Amino acid sequence: MDEDLELIERFKTGDQTAFDELMQRHYRSVLNLVYRFTGATGQPAEDLAQDVFLRIYRALPRFEARARFFTYLYKVTMNLCLKERARWARHRSRTVSLDGHWDDPEGPGPRTIPDPAGSAQDRFERREVAGEVREAVMELPEEQRAAVILHRFHHLSYEEITEVLGISLPAVKSRLHRAKLSLQKRLGEGTGESLGETRQPEAAG
Amino acid sequence: MATACAQVEELLPAYEEGDLTVEEARRLERHLQTCPACRQGLADLRSSWDLLGAWEDLEPARAWKQDFWRNLGRDEERRRQGPWRFLQDRRWAPVATAAVLALGFFAGTFWQEVPVQPTGMAASVVISRDVAEIAMASASSPETDFFPLGEVEGPFSAEILDQALSSVQAP
Ligand SMILES: [Zn+2]
């Protein structure tokens, strides 16, 4: 049986530690979905991730295991991101920049743990590449960006993406298709080789 | 760019995903063998997709879990506030504070103009002090809000378990 569903069953019988474990398994993932989709970092990103789990906590007693838990979790996350984006746009128009992505109202740069390996030069180049990639993804239209993030960073299949975004299979494919062509132009060609050489290996986990 | 190349470029992502028919794939491969530009296109498509892996994860805040159980506790508390709940909402704090000031002003005027009615005055002062306390509480920063769960280190203490269980069983 699915480990998430086991935890949910335990939680439904009143076992709070099961919810703790469920969060342990998914918090990082939810936080990073928020981060990559909205561009928010620091406290605003944490607040949103916390809100997701607060809502899950309330809704879980009524959760029926028709879908896999994480597609439900990601769906809630995406919906909250969109809702929050609308709120930010209403109350703090300065947080929505002209090119359409959401600036961090708290300040610059993500809080990431630097990789201790490699020279200062390596680290510098790696950060540059990461910045290029971040910009390229952020410049994608929102609906393409959502599909790319779920597929590339959360390793969801097409079918799972249809569940999360509530769109058809052809729509998922066409969004990914168009996104890949844009990214190819933006990150390949010319810049491709120099960027490719400094590319860091996939992080474990 | 030749029309053939434009068509091939458009098909490359589907080719990568294995979504082309056998016949389409064979035709595309034939083109790739003779066209360095489209071969470069395919290489770029692959490398740009791989390159996305350079975008590092955000590290969760060190105390994210304690934050969650504390937020949950606050949320429970807010739900218990009933009709006064809106005063606990930080967005309403300025309104509540303004209301208190207005009430205080009104009470002051009342005191000066009708000094022979101490009972009514006292009542309005009592009301305004209650409202003031609630308003002050809701205007204070989250760090200084009194909430006993905030003192607890882990989420597994008996109080938290009781709190949470009662909330789960509540209708
Ligand atoms: Zn060609």
Side-chain angles (χ1 to χ4, degrees), chain A residues 14 16-17 20 24 28 32 35-36 46 50 57-58 111-112 134 152-153 158 177 180 184 189, chain B residues 10 17 41 44 49-50 55-59 61 64-65 68-69 71 75-76 79 155-156 164-165:
Chain A
Q16 294 291 292
T17 64
D20 207 84
Q24 186 69 46
R28 187 193 181 92
N32 276 283
Y35 163 50
R36 291 201 171 93
E46 296 280 348
Q50 294 270 331
Y57 183 93
R58 302 270 178 234
R111 182 185 57 248
T112 54
R134 191 167 58 232
R152 180 64 179 81
F153 296 96
Y158 292 170
H177 180 106
K180 282 181 176 182
Q184 173 196 353
E189 245 178 307
Chain B
E10 186 58 34
E17 297 281 347
D44 282 347
W49 192 248
D50 285 348
W55 190 0
E56 294 149 323
D57 265 13
L58 200 60
E59 292 298 322
W64 69 263
K65 213 185 255 188
F68 172 80
W69 292 105
N71 288 340
D75 201 45
E76 301 282 303
R79 279 157 185 260
F156 298 123
L165 283 176

Side-chain angles (χ1 to χ4, degrees), chain A residues 148-161:
Chain A
V148 165
I149 292 168
L150 291 170
H151 193 47
R152 180 64 179 81
F153 296 96
H154 297 268
H155 313 291
L156 264 62
S157 70
Y158 292 170
E159 284 75 14
E160 287 161 349
I161 297 174

Side-chain angles (χ1 to χ4, degrees), chain A residues 184 189-190 193, chain B residues 35-45:
Chain A
Q184 173 196 353
E189 245 178 307
E193 277 170 48
Chain B
C35 181
C38 285
R39 277 206 300 278
Q40 183 60 47
L42 182 60
D44 282 347
L45 189 72

Side-chain angles (χ1 to χ4, degrees), chain A residues 11-17 19-21 23-24 27-28 31-32 35-36 40-43 45-46 50 53-54 57-58 61 87 110-115 126-127 129-130 133-134 137-138 148-149 151-153 158 173 176-177 180-181 183-185 187-190 192-193 195-196 199-203 205, chain B residues 1 6 8-20 37-79 91 143 154-156 160-169:
Chain A
F11 176 67
K12 280 182 177 176
T13 65
D15 181 355
Q16 294 291 292
T17 64
F19 193 79
D20 207 84
E21 274 182 57
M23 283 199 295
Q24 186 69 46
Y27 187 83
R28 187 193 181 92
L31 179 70
N32 276 283
Y35 163 50
R36 291 201 171 93
T41 60
Q43 202 55 50
E46 296 280 348
Q50 294 270 331
F53 282 101
L54 216 54
Y57 183 93
R58 302 270 178 234
R87 202 173 67 84
R111 182 185 57 248
T112 54
I113 291 182
D115 183 352
R126 207 174 289 165
R127 222 172 19 233
V129 177
V133 167
R134 191 167 58 232
V137 176
M138 279 306 202
V148 165
I149 292 168
H151 193 47
R152 180 64 179 81
F153 296 96
Y158 292 170
K173 286 188 176 183
L176 282 171
H177 180 106
K180 282 181 176 182
L181 288 176
L183 293 171
Q184 173 196 353
K185 296 224 168 59
L187 297 171
E189 245 178 307
E193 277 170 48
L195 285 172
R199 158 165 102 236
Q200 70 162 351
E202 282 264 33
Chain B
M1 188 190 279
V8 165
E9 192 187 27
E10 186 58 34
L11 287 176
L12 285 176
Y15 174 69
E16 262 292 272
E17 297 281 347
D19 276 347
L20 295 184
C38 285
R39 277 206 300 278
Q40 183 60 47
L42 182 60
D44 282 347
L45 189 72
R46 288 174 177 158
S47 69
S48 61
W49 192 248
D50 285 348
L51 201 59
L52 297 192
W55 190 0
E56 294 149 323
D57 265 13
L58 200 60
E59 292 298 322
R62 219 167 287 125
W64 69 263
K65 213 185 255 188
Q66 285 96 315
D67 287 348
F68 172 80
W69 292 105
R70 192 173 50 233
N71 288 340
L72 179 69
R74 280 213 193 100
D75 201 45
E76 301 282 303
E77 191 62 26
R78 215 170 292 140
R79 279 157 185 260
R91 281 172 298 181
E143 287 74 29
F156 298 123
I160 291 185
L161 220 60
D162 286 344
Q163 286 255 357
L165 283 176
S166 66
S167 79
V168 165
Q169 282 150 9

